Every structure is written in C-alpha cells, then in structure tokens.
Amino acid sequence: MVVERGSVAWVGSEGAADSFADGVDEVIDLAGALVTPAFTDAHVHTTATGLARTGLDLTAATTLTEALDLVRAHAAAHPGDAVLLGHGWDSSRWPEGRAPSRMELDRATDGRPLYLTRVDVHSAVATTALLDRVGDLTGRAGYQGDAPLTADAHHAVRAAAFANVTDSQRADAQRAALRRAAALGIGTLHECAGPDISSEADLTGLLGIAAQTAGPRVIGYWAEAASSARDLEKVRELGAVGAAGDLFVDGALGSHTACLHAPYADAPPSTGTRYLDPTAIATHVALCTEAGLQAGFHAIGDAAVSAVIAGVRTAAEKVGLARVRAARHRVEHAEMLTPETIAAFAELGLTASVQPAFDAAWGGEDGMYAQRLGVERARTLNPYAALLRAGVPLALGSDSPVTPLDPWGTVRAAAFHRTPEHRVSVRAAFTAHTRGGWRAARRDDAGVLVPGAPADLAVWQHGELVVQVPDERVANWSTDPRSGTPGLPDLTPGLPLPVCVRTMVGGRTVYERPIE
C-alpha cells in the first residue's frame, strides 16, 4: 500500500510495490501482520469516557458493599477534588438489589459532594452536599426521595457536578479517551454531545483538541431539539455535523426510563418516560432536512421507536420522502424493534446506530433485560440480522462509558448475540464498525482501503483468520476458496482478541505499540 497526502494512493502486489520504493519517504514492513481499516465508534461520550478512566470506576463492583468501599477509598485519595465523580454502578448485578442510599454515600465521602452515574448514565445517585448546590429538587421530574435521580432532576444535578470540572481536567480527560481509542485501532469517534449530557464548551474543546493533535478524528453531533430554523444555527456554530445523537425521546431500560408500550415486568404499571412526542420529532426532522443537516434521536423502548417513526413519517409528508431518505437521519440504540418498525426504518432511510455490547452485558434469559421486560420481550431486543436483511444501514458503537471502547469485542458481541437468530456474520459486523460508521456520517468514500480513501488503518497481531457466519449454509459457501471471501480473526468467545500494534489516521501514525 502506498499512502500519499493522507489518502491511499495505491494497493497491489508486493512485487509491483518495489517500483515505488525509491520514491517514498518511509517504508514500514508489517512482518505479516493484518491490516484493516481503522474502526469507527459511532456513539461515544469522550469526556465522560476519559473521566471514567481517570476517576472512580464502579463497573467492576459486584456488591453494594464493594461499591461503597471503592467510594470511600477514592474520596480519601482525592482530598482536593471540589466534586467527586464516579460511574458504572449496576444494582441489577448486586445481591443487595438496590442502589446506594444518600446516607451511605454521605458517610463514605465524609459529607463531600459526590455524583455517581448508573452504568447506563440515565440515572444517578448523589450526596446531600451536591444536592444542596442545586437547590429545591422536589418539584422536578425524576426526583423521588432517596431513589436514584432520573429525568430533569438528574440533568440538574449532573450540570452542578460537571460545573466543577475545570477546563484542564476536561481536556486531560478528553486526551486520555482519545489515546485509549487510538490504542484500540479506532480512527474515528462520533461524539454525542448535547445540553442534557455535556455542554457547548465540552464539544468545542474536544473538536479543537482533535483538530490540533495527532489522534482519532472526532465527528460531533449536538442533541438539541429545533423548533425553528434559527435553532439550527447553533449546530453549525459548534462545528457539529448534525442535530442528532442523544436527543432523548426516552431513557434506558436499566433505569426504568425507556418508554414502553406495555409496563415493565418488574415495575408495573410504569411504562417509562417519554421526552419528545411525534409532533416535536416531526418538526425537528423537517427543519434538519431542509437545512441539509442530519437529525437523530436516542430511542430504546418500543414506544419511543414508534414515536420516532411517526414523527419522521410526518416530516416526510411535509418535505418529501426522497429528501428525508437522502438526509440519512439516525436512531441511536433502537433496541426494541418489531418487523413493522424495522420495515419503517428501511422505508424512511434511517440508520440504526447500535451497541452490541449492550446485549453481551444485559441480554440472555437471566440478564437485566429479562428482569425488566420478561424473557419473551427481552428475546426480541437488538435484532441485528433482521435489520440487515431489511436493508437498514448499521453503524456500531460503544456508548462509552456505558460500555467500554472495545471494537473487536463489539464485533464479537454482534456475531455471537445471546439470541442466536439475531446474530450476523463477523464480516457484516466488522463492516458496520468500519465503513458503516463513515456512512452514518454521510461519507461513502471512507472505511475501506482503496485508492482515494482516507489512509485510516490499523495493524493487528492476531490468531487464525477464518470466515465466521451464523448460518451453516452460508458458512459452507463462504469458506469455499472459490468464493474469494477473505478471513478475519477468529472471534469465538474465549479466544484472545486481536492486539493493535499501530493505528494511522490520515496517513499519520497516531499509536504504535511499545516493543515489549
């Protein structure tokens, strides 16, 4: 491969490459390693990812007691922090079956301000000292005494907590997250920013760092609903490519805030929370379409997905179906789908930006999904094979820090879905995590290593290269040498994942694994 001015200039045989050797600035011998397009993570919260890496991480806590011990140790180790920040508690996995109480957190922190997000980031717990900085929360939606904060109450407390993060802390966290992404072979991140989850300064600061330093590209989205064309001016001013990402139509299943048609199995009669109705969705989509911007929404529950479809259909009636399809609007997560809603995604040209690690973490008959919905409803979640069969474009991501940056693990989770009928081939998942991410951002000339494409690539140490597909009939055809289907690393659960040894973005090395 020859790289010139940041793009792939030529790909061919080793013998033919000799003719280029005298005219290049550098020759890199990869010693038989695997070269692939760099991954694109289509849904990331970069600052929160960096803060989780440098702050209090509760994802490994297996009991409430262990979580409180980690809080106590972190508070003792950071006496100068104005607000203690942490992430990742998941009471659905704890034998106690409940979140930390405010009194327990007050004792663990000796009365200091503390903000702890649940693993899905749609609810949080906080100490009294932090709540006092917000003022009266009792009248806000999502405040229920000592229960975890959700909805408006959660957004207010989150704003108070992150107001105490300094510019230097934020920049350090962003750089830490970008370094981690580069070390995993990720060449591009889609930053899902917005007023309810980060801030304008957070997004512009991140885009500035990404533009000025050697590292992964960052494509920014700003999730703020538009009711007039003027509202969309901010999107362009911030440097975002769309009014999309985590524009919340609902919340999350783990927090009982995803919006459902039928009540939660473990919390009847609740059907969750809806933040946007079809009328507001239609207005936003129509305005974005007319402005040439992508619209997009966070929708997890089946009622939220239905609201998105109803809104997009109404917008298509106003501005034209062809224009709506051409805009490639996005739906983030899109977990609870039916054959009818999948067909609507295909009809309306919607991209499904999905996170297979959610199924790996919470799927299965004993997982959190089954607790919240019952086994039968849980079994319908994240139907990737049906989406691909219907022609719905897929883009894979992590929603980090909800689940970690882990591209090969994400591909494995899609190929070995806990519900067998939802599995896709390793190659289909790999394509959705490379080229699919670029297409989700309306770039069709990237995510592949062909002449003219950006030279964003990763180099891997790997085991055996194989063809892995969920259907044995396809497997028999695909592994026939006459098919010409190239292999990818064997991702069978239990086997080690490939290790990144080099990542290049725009032809520049942004990560090189140290020699051990």
Side-chain angles (χ1 to χ4, degrees):
M1 181 185 299
V2 176
V3 173
E4 187 175 30
R5 292 190 292 274
S7 298
V8 177
W10 177 87
V11 180
S13 69
E14 184 173 353
D18 291 341
S19 63
F20 291 96
D22 292 339
V24 299
D25 298 320
E26 182 184 13
V27 176
I28 302 173
D29 185 347
L30 302 180
L34 174 68
V35 181
T36 72
F39 284 102
T40 294
D41 192 311
H43 192 120
V44 177
H45 304 288
T46 308
T47 303
T49 296
L51 290 172
R53 289 190 60 79
T54 59
L56 173 56
D57 184 358
L58 297 178
T59 55
T62 57
T63 68
L64 172 59
T65 300
E66 184 179 349
L68 290 170
D69 288 342
L70 289 170
V71 170
R72 192 174 295 108
H74 182 80
H78 296 81
D81 287 5
V83 172
L84 299 164
L85 301 172
H87 166 74
W89 59 269
D90 185 357
S91 56
S92 70
R93 298 190 297 112
W94 295 346
E96 297 90 345
R98 66 173 179 86
S101 72
R102 194 167 304 141
M103 184 179 297
E104 289 170 329
L105 295 174
D106 286 346
R107 286 199 298 263
T109 60
D110 198 23
R112 294 169 62 193
L114 167 74
Y115 171 72
L116 289 180
T117 47
R118 191 185 181 278
V119 66
D120 59 15
V121 198
H122 283 271
S123 59
V125 291
T127 56
T128 303
L130 181 58
L131 300 187
D132 287 345
R133 296 189 180 188
V134 180
D136 184 20
L137 283 170
T138 57
R140 291 181 181 265
Y143 181 83
Q144 302 177 57
D146 201 32
L149 301 157
T150 62
D152 289 344
H154 178 208
H155 298 158
V157 173
R158 172 164 46 202
F162 281 99
N164 289 275
V165 176
T166 66
D167 290 346
S168 62
Q169 282 179 300
R170 183 171 61 223
D172 288 346
Q174 291 170 344
R175 291 189 179 96
L178 293 174
R179 285 194 300 270
R180 178 61 177 165
L184 293 170
I186 297 171
T188 301
L189 303 174
H190 293 188
E191 166 64 17
C192 293
D196 290 332
I197 203 159
S198 57
S199 68
E200 296 176 23
D202 186 275
L203 176 59
T204 55
L206 172 62
L207 294 177
I209 286 173
Q212 295 161 14
T213 59
R217 305 173 191 266
V218 176
I219 296 172
Y221 288 92
W222 182 252
E224 189 167 7
S227 57
S228 70
R230 182 175 298 176
D231 293 338
L232 294 175
E233 294 174 5
K234 181 189 294 185
V235 176
R236 300 188 193 278
E237 291 168 359
L238 293 174
V241 301
D246 274 330
L247 181 47
F248 297 124
V249 177
D250 68 343
L253 291 165
S255 295
H256 293 100
T257 52
C259 189
L260 313 180
H261 284 304
Y264 282 89
D266 62 346
S270 172
T271 56
T273 304
R274 189 174 74 181
Y275 300 112
L276 290 176
D277 61 22
T279 300
I281 292 167
T283 299
H284 183 75
V285 171
L287 288 168
C288 287
T289 303
E290 291 175 329
L293 291 170
Q294 276 183 293
F297 305 91
H298 163 119
I300 287 179
D302 50 4
V305 171
S306 295
V308 170
I309 289 169
V312 177
R313 276 212 173 107
T314 299
E317 292 170 2
K318 178 181 179 182
V319 302
L321 177 60
R323 292 180 70 189
V324 166
R325 288 176 58 86
R328 302 191 196 182
H329 302 308
R330 298 172 54 147
V331 182
E332 308 299 317
H333 316 308
E335 293 198 74
M336 293 185 71
L337 298 168
T338 65
E340 292 74 23
T341 52
I342 290 171
F345 269 49
E347 172 197 353
L348 298 168
L350 298 174
T351 294
S353 172
V354 298
Q355 295 75 39
F358 288 8
D359 174 74
W362 304 309
E365 296 193 357
D366 299 321
M368 182 271 288
Y369 289 154
Q371 294 173 27
R372 296 290 185 267
L373 303 173
V375 173
E376 289 305 314
R377 272 198 294 176
R379 197 175 285 133
T380 67
L381 264 60
N382 302 302
Y384 304 137
L387 285 163
L388 286 180
R389 282 196 301 269
V392 176
L394 289 187
L396 303 192
S398 62
D399 198 8
S400 179
V402 175
T403 57
L405 299 171
D406 181 15
W408 283 113
T410 296
V411 174
R412 171 186 278 173
F416 293 92
H417 197 295
R418 289 177 178 270
T419 304
E421 58 262 37
H422 299 331
R423 293 173 180 173
V424 299
S425 71
V426 166
R427 179 155 293 278
F430 175 80
T431 300
H433 212 352
T434 49
R435 193 173 191 180
W438 281 100
R439 285 177 165 173
R442 306 199 291 191
R443 283 280 302 270
D444 293 333
D445 61 341
V448 288
L449 298 179
V450 298
D456 292 12
L457 58 91
V459 183
W460 307 93
Q461 292 177 350
H462 60 89
E464 184 181 3
L465 298 180
V466 298
V467 175
Q468 289 179 293
V469 295
D471 188 320
E472 287 302 316
R473 295 168 298 173
V474 179
N476 291 336
W477 173 84
S478 297
T479 54
D480 188 315
R482 292 171 295 180
S483 74
T485 303
L488 284 167
D490 188 345
L491 300 185
T492 301
L495 293 181
L497 293 171
V499 175
C500 184
V501 296
R502 182 187 294 264
T503 305
M504 298 183 74
V505 175
R508 299 174 62 190
T509 296
V510 299
Y511 169 77
E512 189 170 7
R513 183 176 174 82
I515 297 175
E516 297 177 351

